[in-house]
């Protein structure tokens, strides 16, 4: 129950009505309390109140016969009877009987009048002299409930003693200043605007928050823009940083930074708090601005921002300064005391425990008690407030723990006061205050509080001085609830809940405590003095002060409070502002108060006015900012973070929603396959280390650029603030001379200013992701030439990518970091080579692609194509080719078509991809609005063949890039500067602009480039040779199922067709790129051209023409060197050719076949002759300066070699041994990667066409199938009739043929034997499928080779010539030749069509056990019992 609502009985002058009301209130509380002793105290107070009624009755001038007077008398009689009956119930019959008799003097009969409590009594339900009832206000409850309501007298609906209805009639919005909210990345106009923005971000997530439409609109945008939110918070952090850097720290910048305090993030807030602490701690004289600042900063702290340790440290500092400030001004002491109060407030909220009693608690409490002797009343009051706060902060004594146990609910509620107020349940809050009062003081203390309040008046009347009165009214001895009530009042005012603040002031249990009234008056004065509140609110505060001064019946006649009110109002009238609330309204109120009250009150008024205001500064709010100097400094400083946020947004958006598979990699070229690791994990480890350069290598299309962009995206996602490394993705071909000032050049392109660049160089750390070292045609060490991590240089780690084929054997010096003396340091360097896609990665990519793009094909369609189309599985191991394949396969092939007879090539994929891109571009242009002139150009291009025109445009552009820019892939076009140059022809004319828009090109500002480097190379090869340019050639019919492709045989040809006749040799085209540029080392480009040679006989003849013409004129020698390099790579043999006088300097003839060739007088300077076949070749008079020789060494095994095989991609080579082992080698360095164990003697080994399986057979009547990637045995095929001498895959890879005297066909997935065929003899020892799958060759013990039609099982040819058992067979990749190995130590090459023996190969000194073609058909490997493998 809330005892504080009882009007005190110790009032000098009470009316009969007031005395009766007071007695009834005491009776109500006594009636419902269980504690007998407390009830007795309340009963005595009720008797005292009734005695006051007797005195009032004697003084009344009301007519005794009046009805109203009689009602009051009856009420007093009933109250006496109630009191007597209550005492009897509580166990005091004698006292009760004596009291009841007193009712007789008022006309009551105790024997016939039960008393009002025994009737249907309602709290506050008494009657005044006019017959109106005294009812409870909102929130009143029945007697049995604890929170009795505040009673106000009602007369015909009008308040008699309640506060003026014009005072705070409703809650209002907390004081705010409206600002135009900024657009994202817009410069901020002022610090208060920044505070407004951050405040909106914080309140947006609170329940029941209503915002203006403009704020809602702004929040809807900013909540979706984390970069803008980060910008605002980062700006606030920079303002704090600027404050820390300021030396003077005058009042202006202190005020500015304090404006930000309520909206700072925790770490920034604590950083600012430490700065204020340091300022006070290190200053000799007390810095008033910083002291006031730390006070307001503590008030502004959000829940959880103030750590207990920080508060104790601050309190210790302030306490020390406070105790050392006795010789300084009263103002300093007041400010320190106020600061101590706020620290203690925060400590109470934070429930700080363990406050050291000896070193801090006792000295501080003692000093605060000593301040009672001050002559400054406000300082005394502030000391009392601080003391109450200190009492609410527990020290480390067990006595406090005992109090906590006794009043646990109360103590827990202290730190929750603010949250209780925020909950808007004022009734529960006031109830909580009653519980706190009970826990702190006990119920009996209520009487003492009430008595003290009115005894002060008595003392004053007897002549005691004002200060003595004040000190008697302020408690320094025990906890009082007025402290908690004022904390709640502060929270209500802060939130604009002024109507609730009024209720709290009127209904708080401690409302008659002078300290509480002082605090209420102080807060009203601060509201009135603060111009940010509207005029109505401020007038209400002044009116409230008048009510406290003049309404003695409600607030008592406490002279200290009255003097405090006069002091506040006087201060308002004498303030320096011209505010009418201060000057006019407050002065009018003061004049009105001069006439209120009796003579003593008026004397008090005159004395206060004559003595002037109490010397204290009315604390209103932060002064208005004249300028936002700190914000201006921050915004005038290079805004690196703002531009970085824009860059981050752009780069993350550019990543898009593309399919991505995390790549695997291995440490280097020569590392075995089982050393693979996740590339992203390895690179993250590098970034956490002290290493500086990470070199990322891979073939063309291996995914280097894709990974670089994914790495950048991942780093931007985790980027938080200026302490993180900034990821910069630098496309090296777009930078002019990146060997110098690379970073600054890149940042300028990203629109960073020079000041920003300097700021980043000095204060930021970078991660440089440099993509395309090969495309920029670099030879410099970019780390060293840009002087990274040198004094005054950029602090950066570098990730740099390059094509594998661009580098030679000696490349580390281009990338390894060096020390200050430029000496390479390998410990700072790391490299990795991206691995091709595994089959699992291919399947995962297909799933992502289908999900994102929803193509015509489904996942199973793609998987079926991978399974059935020869060579496709190898192509898609390259990520870029994988993308092309998924894009164009539905266009190239119908799923119902017979896929097993089809071949997909690399160049064919590019053909279809480019055509499809151009056709889509044409459709997109056709849907656009065009001017009549542009539309006419578009229609003309379409009529001529838009796709053909587009390909022509790409060819011309590729040629120009290589001719004018030496192959540099980025074309920078500035319309004015490049007018009249070669670039105009591609980017200015209308028809070229349309083709440009439809082409596979990208644009970044004024820079244009092909979407992938390989597309540039492809376009150039189309310029070198285009199948559409072939003349006088009969083209085979189009393939069934083709969907609109221009080429019919380039990318998808049926095998087994006869080639048509070719053109007669003509003089070559002198304008061809082959003439004016060497492409000998452009491996990716050569790969396109060698495929063209294999597909197009006309191109082959064209290249031969260049070689022939070089004999006559040296102007053709570059073209001839290119031509012969292409032909050799394509597998064209020059055995016995007449090459006399050819000029091919610098050509690459490695692994070419030039046996018996005539090279007399040839120019072979700097020609690569590694691994070349030149037996009986005539090199007389040939120029051979700088010729490079280098033959591969043979492999020496520990046991007889029984069989050998290349993997389909040519990267692995397997050797089967007599001891049962299979050694697998990496063909790039011929290092062994793994060893498989068949268990017994190996007879044959074979790779599946897809390269994912390796089959072995031997003397245990079994065939074993191995996983080529992991080396695990997946399946064992049993049921053979004896030793399995040979095993071979069908071209589709779904079946295996084995021989054990007969031929058996097996299903590789189930291991089931499907059929047994060719039972013509029991002596078959080897078998081979033709690449087309329509023919099988067998070899037997009788030295005979037979060729069979699989479907008809007819023998088409019998090949005779060997003199020993034929042990091994191999078809060439084209299927036109058959190699046979025999125990006669020879190898024969047969023409499959005619059955003729073309070549006899000798060299082995023992039976030849195995023979195999390389996938390109340019090498033939043989292994023999002489323990050698020959190539």
């Amino acid at each position: 129950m809330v005892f504080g609502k009882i009007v005190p009985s110790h009032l000098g002058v009470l009316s009969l009505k007031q005395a009766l009301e007071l007695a009834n209130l005491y009776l109500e509380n006594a009636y419902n309390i269980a504690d007998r002793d407390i009830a007795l105290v309340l009963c005595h107070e009720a008797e005292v109140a009734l005695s006051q009624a007797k005195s009032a009755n004697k003084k009344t001038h009301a007519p005794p016969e009046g009805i109203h007077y009689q009602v009051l008398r009856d009420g007093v009689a009933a109250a006496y009877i109630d009191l007597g009956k209550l005492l009897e119930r509580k166990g005091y019959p004698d006292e009760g009987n004596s009291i009841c008799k007193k009712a007789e003097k008022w006309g009551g009969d105790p024997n016939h009048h039960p008393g009002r409590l025994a009737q249907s009594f309602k709290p506050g339900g008494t009657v005044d002299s006019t017959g109106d009832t005294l009812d409870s206000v909102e929130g009143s409850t029945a007697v049995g409930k604890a929170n009795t309501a505040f009673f106000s007298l009602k007369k015909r609906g009008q308040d008699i003693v309640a506060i003026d209805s014009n005072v705070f009639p409703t809650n209002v919005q907390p004081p705010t200043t409206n600002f135009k909210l900024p657009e994202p990345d817009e410069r901020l106009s002022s610090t208060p605007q920044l505070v407004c923005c951050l405040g909106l971000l914080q309140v947006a997530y609170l329940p029941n928050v209503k915002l203006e439409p403009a704020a809602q609109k702004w929040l809807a945008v900013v909540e979706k823009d984390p970069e803008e939110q980060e910008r605002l918070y980062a700006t606030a952090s920079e303002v704090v940083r600027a404050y820390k850097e300021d030396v003077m720290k005058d009042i202006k910048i202190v005020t500015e930074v304090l404006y930000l305090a309520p909206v700072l993030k925790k770490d920034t807030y604590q950083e600012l708090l430490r700065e204020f602490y340091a300022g006070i701690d290190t200053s000799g004289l007390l810095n008033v601005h910083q002291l006031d600042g730390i006070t307001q900063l503590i008030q502004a702290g959000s829940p959880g921002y103030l750590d207990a340790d920080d508060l104790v440290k601050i309190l210790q500092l302030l306490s020390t300064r406070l105790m050392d400030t006795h010789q300084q001004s009263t103002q300093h002491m007041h400010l320190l005391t106020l600061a101590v109060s706020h620290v203690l407030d925060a400590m109470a909220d934070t429930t700080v425990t363990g406050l050291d009693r000896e070193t801090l608690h006792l000295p501080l409490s003692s000093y605060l008690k000593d301040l009672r002797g001050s002559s400054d009343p406000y300082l005394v009051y502030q000391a009392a407030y601080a003391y109450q706060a200190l009492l609410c902060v527990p020290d480390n004594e067990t006595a406090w723990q005992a109090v906590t146990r006794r009043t646990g609910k109360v103590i827990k509620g202290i730190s929750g006061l603010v949250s209780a107020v925020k909950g808007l349940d004022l009734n529960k809050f006031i109830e909580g205050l009653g519980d706190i009062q009970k826990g702190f003081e006990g119920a009996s203390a209520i009487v003492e509080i009430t008595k003290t309040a009115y005894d002060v008046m008595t003392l004053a009347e007897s002549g005691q001085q004002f200060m003595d009165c004040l000190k008697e009214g302020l408690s320094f001895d025990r906890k009082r609830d007025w402290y908690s009530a004022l904390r709640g009042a502060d929270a209500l005012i802060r939130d604009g809940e002024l109507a609730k603040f009024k209720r709290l002031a009127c209904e708080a249990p401690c409302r008659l405590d002078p300290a509480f009234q002082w605090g209420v008056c102080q807060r009203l004065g601060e509201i009135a003095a603060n111009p940010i509140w509207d005029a109505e609110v401020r007038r209400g505060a002044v009116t409230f002060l008048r009510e406290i001064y003049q309404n003695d019946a409600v607030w008592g006649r406490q002279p200290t409070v009255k003097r405090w009110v006069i002091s506040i109002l006087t201060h308002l009238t004498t303030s320096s502002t011209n505010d009418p609330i201060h000057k006019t309204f407050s002065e009018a109120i003061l004049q009105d108060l001069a006439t209120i009250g009796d003579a003593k009150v008026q004397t008090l008024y005159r004395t206060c006015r004559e003595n002037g205001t109490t010397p204290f500064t009315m604390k209103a709010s932060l002064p208005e900012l004249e300028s936002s100097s700190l914000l201006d400094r921050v915004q005038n400083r290079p805004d690196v973070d703002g531009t970085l946020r824009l860059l981050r947004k752009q780069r993350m958006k550019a990543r898009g929603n593309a399919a991505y598979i995390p790549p695997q990699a291995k440490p280097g070229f020569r590392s075995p396959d089982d050393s693979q690791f996740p590339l992203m994990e390895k690179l993250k480890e590098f970034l956490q280390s002290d290493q500086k350069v990470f070199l990322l290598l891979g073939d063309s299309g291996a995914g280097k650029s894709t990974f670089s962009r994914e790495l950048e995206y991942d780093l931007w996602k985790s980027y938080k603030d200026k302490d993180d490394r900034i990821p910069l993705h630098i496309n090296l071909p777009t930078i002019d001379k990146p060997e110098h000032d690379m970073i600054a050049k890149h940042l300028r392109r990203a629109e960073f200013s020079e000041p920003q660049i300097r700021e980043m160089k000095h204060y930021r750390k970078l991660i440089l992701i440099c993509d395309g070292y090969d495309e920029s045609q670099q030879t410099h060490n970019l780390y060293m030439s840009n002087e990274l991590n040198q004094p005054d240089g950029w602090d950066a780690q570098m990730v740099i990518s390059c094509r594998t084929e661009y580098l030679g054997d000696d490349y580390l010096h281009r990338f390894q970091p060096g020390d200050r003396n430029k000496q390479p340091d390998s410990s700072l360097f790391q490299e990795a080579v991206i691995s091709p896609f595994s089959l699992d990665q291919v399947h995962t990519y297909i799933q992502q692609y289908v999900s994102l793009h929803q193509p015509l094909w489904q996942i199973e369609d793609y998987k079926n194509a991978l399974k059935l189309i020869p060579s496709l599985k190898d192509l898609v191991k390259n990520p870029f080719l994988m993308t092309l394949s998924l894009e164009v396969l539905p266009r190239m092939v119908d799923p119902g078509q017979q896929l097993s007879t089809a071949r997909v090539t690399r160049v064919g994929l590019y053909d279809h991809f480019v055509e499809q891109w151009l056709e889509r571009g044409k459709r997109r242009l056709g849907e656009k609005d065009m001017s009549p002139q542009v539309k006419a150009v578009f229609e003309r291009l379409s009529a001529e063949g838009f796709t053909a025109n587009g390909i022509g445009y790409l060819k011309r552009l590729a040629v120009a890039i290589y001719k004018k820019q030496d192959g540099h892939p980025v074309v920078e076009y500035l319309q004015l500067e490049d007018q009249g140059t070669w670039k105009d022809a591609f980017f200015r004319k209308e028809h070229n602009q349309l083709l440009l828009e439809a082409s596979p090109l990208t644009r970044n500002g004024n820079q244009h480039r092909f979407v992938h480097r390989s597309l540039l190379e492809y376009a150039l090869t189309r310029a070198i040779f285009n199948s559409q340019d072939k003349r006088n050639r009969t083209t085979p019919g189009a393939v069934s199922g083709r969907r609109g492709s221009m080429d019919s045989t380039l990318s998808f040809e049926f095998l087994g067709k006869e080639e048509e006749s070719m053109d007669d040799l003509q003089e070559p085209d002198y304008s061809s790129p082959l003439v004016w540029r060497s492409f000998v080392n452009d491996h990716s480009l050569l790969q396109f051209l060698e495929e063209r040679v294999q597909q197009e006989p006309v191109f082959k003849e064209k290249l031969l023409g260049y070689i022939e013409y070089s004999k006559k004129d040296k102007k053709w020698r570059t073209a001839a060197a290119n031509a012969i390099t292409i032909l050799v790579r394509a597998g064209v043999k020059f055995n016995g050719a007449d090459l006399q006088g050819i000029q091919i300097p610098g050509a690459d003839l490695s692994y070419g076949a030039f046996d018996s060739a005539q090279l007399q007088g040839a120019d072979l300077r700097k020609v690569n002759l590694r691994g070349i076949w030149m037996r009986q070749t005539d090199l007389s008079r040939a120029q051979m300066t700088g010729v490079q020789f280098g033959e591969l060494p043979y492999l020496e095994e520990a046991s007889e070699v029984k069989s050998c095989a290349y993997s389909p991609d040519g990267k692995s080579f397997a050797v089967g041994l007599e001891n049962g082992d299979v050694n697998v080698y990496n063909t790039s360095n011929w290092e062994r990667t793994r060893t498989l164990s068949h268990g017994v003697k190996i007879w044959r080994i074979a790779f599946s066409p897809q390269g994912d399986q390796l089959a072995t057979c031997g003397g245990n009547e079994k065939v074993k199938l191995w996983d080529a990637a992991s080396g695990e045995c997946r399946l064992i095929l049993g049921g053979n009739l004896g030793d399995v001498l040979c095993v071979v895959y069908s071209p589709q890879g779904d079946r295996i043929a084995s021989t054990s005297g007969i031929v058996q066909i097996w299903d590789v997935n189930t291991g089931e034997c499907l059929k047994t065929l060719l039972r013509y003899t029991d002596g078959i020892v080897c078998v081979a499928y033709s690449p087309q799958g329509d023919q099988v060759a067998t070899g037997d013990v009788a030295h005979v080779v037979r060729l069979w039609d699989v479907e008809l099982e007819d023998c088409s040819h019998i090949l005779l010539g060997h003199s020993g058992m034929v042990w091994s067979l191999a078809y060439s990749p084209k299927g036109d030749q058959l190699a046979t190995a025999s125990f006669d130590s020879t190898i024969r090459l047969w023409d499959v069509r005619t059955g003729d023996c073309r070549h006899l190969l000798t060299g082995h000194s023992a039976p030849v056990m195995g023979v195999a073609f390389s996938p390109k058909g340019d090498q033939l490997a043989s292994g023999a019992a002489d323990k050698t493998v020959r190539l």
Side-chain angles (χ1 to χ4, degrees), residues 1 3 26-43 86 89-90 143-145 438 442-444 446:
M1 71 186 56
F3 303 114
Y26 274 115
L27 286 172
E28 291 166 26
N29 285 280
Y31 186 86
N32 289 284
I33 198 164
D35 192 305
R36 186 174 169 216
D37 295 334
I38 294 177
L40 182 60
V41 172
L42 293 171
C43 288
L86 182 58
R89 284 184 57 188
K90 297 294 184 180
V143 174
K145 295 191 177 179
K438 179 179 178 181
S444 60
I446 301 166

Side-chain angles (χ1 to χ4, degrees), residues 825-898:
D825 187 349
S826 59
S827 66
L828 301 177
F829 174 78
Q830 189 176 162
E831 65 178 315
V833 180
I834 295 185
S835 301
F837 272 173
S838 67
L839 187 58
D840 288 340
Q841 288 176 307
V842 169
H843 288 164
T844 303
Y845 190 95
I846 290 172
Q847 291 173 356
Q848 287 190 23
Y849 180 87
V850 171
S851 175
L852 288 171
H853 301 285
Q854 298 182 346
L856 295 175
W857 277 15
Q858 299 302 312
I859 294 174
E860 290 305 318
D861 296 325
Y862 284 113
K863 288 185 176 180
N864 191 42
L866 283 175
K867 182 178 179 182
L868 296 178
I869 298 178
S871 77
L872 181 60
K873 189 176 291 187
D874 292 329
L875 287 171
V876 298
K877 290 180 180 179
N878 180 289
F880 187 70
L881 292 181
M882 174 72 174
T883 303
L884 265 60
S885 299
L886 299 182
E887 180 80 11
V888 304
L889 276 173
R891 170 190 172 96
M892 295 170 65
V893 186
D894 281 327
Q897 189 174 349
Q898 186 67 31

Side-chain angles (χ1 to χ4, degrees), residues 1054-1120:
F1054 282 91
L1055 304 178
K1057 294 194 175 192
E1058 297 290 338
E1059 296 289 349
E1060 302 294 333
S1061 61
M1062 300 178 290
D1063 295 339
D1064 294 331
L1065 185 64
Q1066 299 180 11
E1067 179 171 330
D1069 179 11
Y1070 191 70
S1071 64
S1072 170
L1074 294 177
V1075 175
W1076 46 260
R1077 180 186 174 90
S1078 173
F1079 298 104
V1080 170
N1081 294 315
D1082 283 342
H1083 300 285
S1084 180
L1085 188 142
L1086 291 175
Q1087 191 173 357
F1088 284 114
L1089 294 174
E1090 67 184 76
E1091 285 193 15
R1092 290 291 189 196
V1093 169
Q1094 293 165 356
Q1095 296 173 3
E1096 305 290 349
V1098 171
F1099 184 43
K1100 173 182 175 182
E1101 295 305 318
K1102 179 178 179 179
L1103 296 177
L1104 290 172
Y1106 283 119
I1107 299 171
E1108 189 65 27
Y1109 269 79
S1110 74
K1111 297 178 180 180
K1112 304 175 182 179
D1113 194 335
K1114 66 179 181 181
K1115 73 177 184 180
W1116 301 104
R1117 61 186 180 186
T1118 299

Side-chain angles (χ1 to χ4, degrees), residues 781-796:
N781 185 319
L782 297 181
Y783 181 92
M784 299 298 294
S785 64
N786 282 278
E787 298 182 342
L788 301 184
N789 301 304
Q790 298 299 316
D792 299 323
W794 292 92
D795 185 336

Side-chain angles (χ1 to χ4, degrees), residues 1167-1188:
V1167 171
N1168 186 352
L1169 301 180
R1170 181 177 182 177
I1172 192 170
W1173 294 76
M1174 300 185 73
R1175 290 172 297 186
Q1176 301 177 358
T1177 300
D1178 191 344
L1179 294 170
S1180 58
R1181 303 189 314 279
Q1183 301 179 58
M1184 301 185 66
T1185 305
V1187 166
Q1188 305 170 48

Side-chain angles (χ1 to χ4, degrees), residues 968-1077:
H968 187 77
V970 177
V971 181
E972 189 167 356
Y973 176 69
L974 301 172
Q975 187 168 353
L976 295 179
E977 294 182 14
D978 293 317
Q979 187 172 359
T981 68
W982 67 271
K983 300 176 185 178
D984 247 6
F986 296 98
F987 304 107
R988 189 177 184 88
K989 295 181 180 179
E990 288 179 350
H991 69 283
N992 282 339
Q993 288 179 338
L994 290 173
L995 295 174
L996 171 67
E997 189 173 343
S999 295
L1001 301 169
T1002 62
R1003 178 179 178 180
N1004 182 10
N1006 57 8
Q1007 292 186 334
H1008 304 264
R1009 65 182 303 172
F1010 284 80
V1011 296
H1012 193 267
R1013 169 79 187 199
S1014 62
L1015 284 168
L1016 168 62
E1017 296 163 341
Y1018 163 81
L1020 185 68
T1021 62
R1022 287 289 292 259
I1024 293 172
F1025 175 79
N1026 186 1
S1027 59
Q1028 300 305 302
D1029 298 334
K1030 293 178 288 187
R1031 294 165 297 183
N1032 303 320
R1033 179 174 182 269
T1034 303
T1035 303
V1039 175
S1040 175
R1042 188 79 177 283
R1043 300 177 189 166
S1045 173
M1046 292 166 48
D1047 263 331
S1048 60
T1049 60
L1050 286 182
S1051 61
F1052 195 86
E1053 59 183 31
F1054 282 91
L1055 304 178
K1057 294 194 175 192
E1058 297 290 338
E1059 296 289 349
E1060 302 294 333
S1061 61
M1062 300 178 290
D1063 295 339
D1064 294 331
L1065 185 64
Q1066 299 180 11
E1067 179 171 330
D1069 179 11
Y1070 191 70
S1071 64
S1072 170
L1074 294 177
V1075 175
W1076 46 260
R1077 180 186 174 90

Side-chain angles (χ1 to χ4, degrees), residues 177 179 189-197 256 259 625 628 631:
T177 302
F179 297 95
S189 61
S190 65
T191 299
Q193 185 194 39
L194 174 60
V195 173
C196 180
C197 294
E256 183 178 359
Y259 262 84
L625 280 179
S628 299
L631 182 64

